[in-house]
Amino acid sequence: MRESRYEVRPIGWVESPLVDRDVAPLQGDEGAPDAWLVFDPSVGAGIRDLEVGTEIIVLTWLDRASRDVLVLHPRGNQSNPMRGVFSTRSPDRPNPIGLHRVQIVAIDDLRIRVRNLEALDRTPIVDVKPMLEPVGER
Amino acid sequence: MRESRYEVRPIGWVESPLVDRDVAPLQGDEGAPDAWLVFDPSVGAGIRDLEVGTEIIVLTWLDRASRDVLVLHPRGNQSNPMRGVFSTRSPDRPNPIGLHRVQIVAIDDLRIRVRNLEALDRTPIVDVKPMLEPVGER
């Protein structure tokens, strides 16, 4: 393996009522609460065109995950057969990047409120992307 | 900003005929070629359940991108109004993570061939995730 390493620098943090991984929903559409994305002032220009009502993809760094897991019981259920981690959405994985599709419900300067985010409180945000429009409308 | 930093460690690399960013397709569905995902032996157990025919999400580290861009002309077209980077899919962004939805068309041990990948040759792979199934089937 080439010994390349890259540095992720958070652009903001999640503010959420979820603080305990053991009781947090496993996915956003499984009862996750609304949460705030709180962006660092240094990236303020980057979020200026985000709009209430639109869906976005939020990438997070799941900083409480374990990085040395390669096979596991999906959904933490011992009765599920072991699977390779890249066939699961487990937060425990070599690069614990969370992928969340959420809708923006409010914007207050550097604070953006989104629906149904399963990330824990204080999870670092590393990127935000728009959903892709159909080819002809890009 | 809290001075947290996280280290991304590639789990593999892209092998693609695309070597020049200036002529590469902007998105996978805009004429991108098939490519190989070549995984490091150290994560072999993690990919063991990937299957030909399925769609996966590949996250890459766009190592030739610029990280200090916050506003830009979308699609590199000067006639498009400037937009905040988090409302665009530009590779130039603070954490240049590429998000690619692709179909697996062949598997040869640690090499997985996928359709329509717009990442350049030698781009580091940082994660692979399955598409989420409907809630009741997880």
Side-chain angles (χ1 to χ4, degrees):
Chain A
M1 188 180 225
R2 279 172 277 173
E3 291 301 317
S4 314
R5 296 288 184 269
Y6 302 96
E7 188 181 77
V8 171
R9 305 168 198 150
I11 59 172
W13 282 268
V14 171
E15 273 186 19
S16 168
L18 295 177
V19 294
D20 183 349
R21 176 172 161 174
D22 291 339
V23 299
L26 296 180
Q27 298 298 335
D29 56 4
E30 297 178 18
D34 295 358
W36 288 102
L37 310 177
V38 183
F39 290 89
D40 191 82
S42 65
V43 299
I47 64 168
R48 70 177 199 184
D49 292 305
L50 296 179
E51 293 176 1
V52 171
T54 58
E55 279 198 319
I56 56 174
I57 295 167
V58 177
L59 300 182
T60 58
W61 188 268
L62 304 168
D63 59 337
R64 277 147 278 184
S66 167
R67 302 186 64 171
D68 54 6
V69 174
L70 289 175
V71 293
L72 51 84
H73 297 286
R75 300 177 62 81
N77 184 339
Q78 300 293 315
S79 68
N80 285 332
M82 296 282 276
R83 277 177 79 80
V85 69
F86 301 121
S87 297
T88 81
R89 288 290 190 111
S90 171
D92 298 321
R93 52 206 310 120
N95 293 298
I97 298 171
L99 173 62
H100 320 271
R101 179 174 167 173
V102 293
Q103 186 182 29
I104 298 175
V105 293
I107 299 177
D108 177 11
D109 192 29
L110 292 169
R111 298 168 59 84
I112 294 186
R113 191 160 180 83
V114 298
R115 280 247 185 287
N116 303 338
L117 183 67
E118 77 277 22
L120 298 179
D121 189 45
R122 297 183 294 110
T123 298
I125 304 165
V126 299
D127 199 10
V128 173
K129 298 181 189 294
M131 300 294 297
L132 275 181
E133 295 157 354
V135 173
E137 299 165 25
R138 288 174 193 166
Chain B
M1 189 179 224
R2 277 172 276 173
E3 291 301 317
S4 315
R5 296 287 185 269
Y6 301 97
E7 187 180 80
V8 171
R9 305 169 199 148
I11 59 172
W13 281 268
V14 171
E15 273 187 17
S16 168
L18 295 177
V19 294
D20 183 349
R21 177 172 160 175
D22 292 339
V23 299
L26 296 180
Q27 298 298 335
D29 57 6
E30 297 177 19
D34 295 358
W36 288 102
L37 310 179
V38 183
F39 289 90
D40 191 83
S42 65
V43 300
I47 65 168
R48 70 177 199 185
D49 292 305
L50 296 179
E51 293 177 0
V52 171
T54 58
E55 279 198 318
I56 55 174
I57 294 167
V58 178
L59 301 183
T60 57
W61 188 267
L62 304 168
D63 58 336
R64 276 146 280 184
S66 167
R67 302 187 63 171
D68 54 6
V69 173
L70 290 175
V71 293
L72 53 82
H73 297 286
R75 301 177 63 80
N77 184 340
Q78 300 295 313
S79 67
N80 286 332
M82 297 281 277
R83 278 177 79 80
V85 69
F86 300 121
S87 297
T88 82
R89 287 291 189 109
S90 170
D92 299 321
R93 53 204 311 119
N95 293 298
I97 298 171
L99 172 63
H100 320 271
R101 179 174 167 173
V102 293
Q103 187 182 28
I104 298 175
V105 294
I107 298 178
D108 177 12
D109 192 28
L110 292 168
R111 299 167 59 83
I112 294 187
R113 190 160 180 83
V114 298
R115 280 249 183 287
N116 303 336
L117 183 67
E118 76 277 21
L120 298 178
D121 188 46
R122 296 184 294 109
T123 298
I125 302 165
V126 299
D127 200 11
V128 172
K129 297 181 191 293
M131 300 295 297
L132 276 182
E133 292 157 357
V135 173
E137 298 165 26
R138 289 175 192 166

